[in-house]
Amino acid sequence: MNRIDPLGIYGLWLRDIKRFLRTPSRIAGALAMPLLFLVFLGYGFEDAALPGLADDIDYIQYLVPGIVGFTMMFGASFAGLSILSDRDVGFLKEILVAPISRTSIVLGRIAGGSTTAFLQGILILVFSVPLGFRFASLFSLPLAFGFLVLIAVTFVGFGIALASQFRDSEGFMLIVQFIIFPLFFLSGALFPIDGLPGPVQYLAYVNPLTYGVDGLRAVLIQESMFPVLFNAGILSLSSLAMVALGAYLFERVEAV
């Protein structure tokens, strides 16, 4: 059996894409919360003076990269839920006994989950324009897409690793929400990390979403804490670590 099966990876990717595109309610549900954050926080804190936020930056400009990062993390983390759903309907057992390596299964899941999360992030970027967001340069969009992919891969790997430890979707959803919201608040998505108490800032610095949001902010509005290459390097390392962890834990999932 080939360790990497491109056809198997493509089949799992295509299945995830079709499931996503054929469920408009899922798309609407994935976009509703980020858009509510954008509208209520963007307009509510429009004239607020936030510690650490430069005077020449509108809050909506600061907020949009953070909400896009949150959308990517939220959508990608829940990709693990599809593994548990497949277990409930028996599809997981079928692919585990199929002549395809588990590494290929994980890569197919990561490709599918990352693509659907990427589409969600793009839609949020598009919807943010009528709300007043302006790109510093359209030529920076390819770099922004690169950061979106790295964020998606990181958190799809995280979702797969976590889902491999659960047998019921209710417990998985509870733990995911318990984890991702602190990561969101500690990423600098809503307010500058400089305004946090000292010990809390250390937690923000070990949060991979911090570097995803800061990288997006660097290329979209040309304002960031760290250089673009530093953010990309840290996020690349975290994505590799999460993919390896997800593959390692998924190898131990039982077929029954």
Side-chain angles (χ1 to χ4, degrees), residues 207-224:
N207 177 6
L209 185 62
T210 298
Y211 304 97
V213 169
D214 196 57
L216 284 173
R217 202 166 274 143
V219 297
L220 291 176
I221 67 171
Q222 297 182 351
E223 178 72 24
S224 64

Side-chain angles (χ1 to χ4, degrees), residues 116-136:
T116 57
F118 180 82
L119 293 175
Q120 293 171 38
I122 295 296
L123 288 173
I124 291 297
L125 267 181
V126 171
F127 288 138
S128 69
V129 174
L131 297 176
F133 180 74
R134 295 293 178 266
F135 298 96

